Amino acid sequence: MTLLPPTVEQQRRIDEVVPVDPETRKRDIAAIREWLSKQPHLPDHMDDARLKRFLFGCKNSIERCKLILERYYSVRTAVPEFFSLRDPLSKDIQQCHESIHYFVLPSLTNEGHRVTVLRLRDTSIDKFSIRTITKRILMVLDTRLMEECCLSNIMVIDLQGFSVVHFTKCSPTQSIIRKSMLAVQDSMPLRLHRVHFLHAPAFIESVLNIFYPLLKEKLVQKFRIHTGGGEELHPYMNKDILPKEWGGKAGTFDELNDSWRKKIEKNRDWFLREEKLSRTNESARLPETKSRLLAELDGLQGSFRKLNID
């Protein structure tokens, strides 16, 4: 699946929000490289193209970029359940493709936002694995960091087929959910613009009430809860960029999901190599750079109150 580049108008919008000066960017990347060279616990194999995407995702803030790089590498050591055995051809990843639709739409919104969709392909509870879903989401995010910059992200979560048991497995009182949120939301240079919930059940407010105390009000304000399906998205974005089932022209759910399966599989060698390289050397960490990840994983609020939002 090709992620289509911005149109001229979309690029103009992106440049207005995150202006890029080539000379300044060159100096900023050099400064980050110098910082990395003084962090003996961090790897320094990331190429300039990917570092530029990190910096762009951090709105050109060098200090924010350093923080996210630290967390990007540290979480891979601290939470191995999401970052080990990342073989796209493994049984668990292949089964996840069969049970969960998770894909990124090819076209940006008119404003320059990238849209990601998550929905059940199989409603069986025994095939709903938070660990594997999180692992796959992170593989998609890493693939995007190899390919593109986008202004911000829109997440569409289609709740059709979700049962009370599905929601129970997503409770933030569970350690794996807190770890998942930390890994996905707090260690990637990707900003969140909005979250749309489709086919929301009558008890959705009761579910979200469990999360609200753990989330910043600014993030909660980005939620849009809809009782209907994909047609509810039409007032928010050009419907042509949506899947066919939602009135768009991007392809069917299965086609989009399978195209991302192939994209991940194409990068198999990269994932196997990165699994060994993108880790911290905790024995070489200087005392003043001691990671706070484990402390955050032990708390209910640590990994939620620092979500990277616009």
Side-chain angles (χ1 to χ4, degrees):
M1 172 59 64
T2 301
L3 293 174
L4 298 176
T7 64
V8 172
E9 182 58 29
Q10 289 168 344
Q11 189 62 57
R12 183 192 65 79
R13 162 66 176 160
I14 292 171
D15 291 341
E16 286 179 351
V17 178
V18 187
V20 176
D21 175 71
E23 288 303 314
T24 300
R25 175 59 52 82
K26 186 176 180 180
R27 291 194 297 271
D28 289 347
I29 294 298
I32 293 170
R33 285 266 181 231
E34 182 180 5
W35 172 79
L36 281 170
S37 71
K38 298 177 181 178
Q39 310 301 312
H41 64 293
L42 296 181
D44 192 13
H45 67 286
M46 191 178 291
D47 60 33
D48 283 358
R50 197 146 59 113
L51 278 180
K52 288 177 182 178
R53 296 185 188 106
F54 267 76
L55 189 58
F56 180 90
C58 296
K59 286 190 173 181
N60 297 332
S61 168
I62 294 177
E63 293 309 310
R64 176 66 181 169
C65 188
K66 291 177 183 178
L67 174 63
I68 296 299
L69 281 169
E70 164 70 40
R71 300 180 74 81
Y72 176 85
Y73 289 125
S74 294
V75 76
R76 281 158 166 71
T77 305
V79 194
E81 52 263 55
F82 301 140
F83 297 100
S84 60
L85 304 176
R86 292 212 300 174
D87 185 345
L89 299 181
S90 64
K91 182 179 178 180
D92 60 341
I93 296 297
Q94 289 294 316
Q95 287 181 341
C96 186
H97 283 294
E98 295 299 326
S99 60
I100 302 291
H101 280 135
Y102 180 75
F103 52 82
V104 186
L105 295 180
S107 299
L108 296 165
T109 67
N110 292 339
E111 297 78 17
H113 304 302
R114 186 65 75 185
V115 182
T116 302
V117 175
L118 187 149
R119 63 190 305 279
L120 294 180
R121 191 177 192 176
D122 186 328
T123 59
S124 301
I125 294 297
D126 60 351
K127 295 181 180 178
F128 187 74
S129 166
I130 295 297
R131 181 188 63 81
T132 309
I133 293 170
T134 301
K135 183 183 291 190
R136 182 175 159 209
I137 287 173
L138 288 161
M139 292 171 77
V140 169
L141 294 178
D142 270 328
T143 299
R144 289 182 57 193
L145 286 174
M146 289 189 281
E147 296 187 4
E148 68 151 2
C149 297
C150 73
L151 184 60
S152 191
N153 294 271
I154 295 174
M155 186 71 204
V156 180
I157 302 175
D158 187 351
L159 299 175
Q160 187 172 37
F162 273 71
S163 67
V164 173
V165 181
H166 284 100
F167 285 112
T168 300
K169 294 184 78 170
C170 297
S171 171
T173 59
Q174 298 189 60
S175 174
I176 194 167
I177 295 298
R178 299 199 301 274
K179 291 180 180 181
S180 176
M181 291 291 288
L182 177 65
V184 173
Q185 294 282 9
D186 205 21
S187 62
M188 286 284 183
L190 299 168
R191 298 186 302 278
L192 182 63
H193 175 67
R194 185 157 292 153
V195 180
H196 291 277
F197 296 95
L198 304 180
H199 293 112
F203 57 83
I204 187 64
E205 283 297 336
S206 297
V207 173
L208 292 177
N209 280 339
I210 300 174
F211 284 87
Y212 285 154
L214 307 174
L215 301 174
K216 286 184 177 181
E217 179 63 27
K218 189 176 181 181
L219 176 63
V220 174
Q221 291 174 357
K222 295 179 183 293
F223 290 176
R224 299 293 183 272
I225 300 173
H226 313 282
T227 57
E231 71 280 356
E232 304 267 20
L233 299 173
H234 296 177
Y236 296 91
M237 62 190 74
N238 180 355
K239 72 175 185 178
D240 286 350
I241 75 171
L242 296 173
K244 288 183 179 180
E245 290 90 340
W246 292 344
K249 301 177 180 179
T252 66
F253 292 146
D254 284 349
E255 288 169 346
L256 292 163
N257 189 68
D258 291 345
S259 67
W260 272 90
R261 180 210 299 251
K262 293 174 182 176
K263 180 185 279 287
I264 294 301
E265 291 174 357
K266 184 178 179 181
N267 290 324
R268 180 172 184 258
D269 290 344
W270 185 90
F271 282 112
L272 297 179
R273 183 176 63 252
E274 279 290 304
E275 184 177 321
K276 300 175 182 178
L277 296 176
S278 290
R279 299 176 61 84
T280 57
N281 179 1
E282 292 301 322
S283 64
R285 184 186 289 274
L286 300 174
E288 61 268 23
T289 65
K290 185 177 180 180
S291 174
R292 293 175 297 183
L293 282 172
L294 294 179
E296 292 184 10
L297 287 169
D298 289 336
L300 284 175
Q301 299 182 6
S303 60
F304 289 89
R305 290 200 175 277
K306 297 182 181 179
L307 293 181
N308 191 22
I309 57 179
D310 287 349

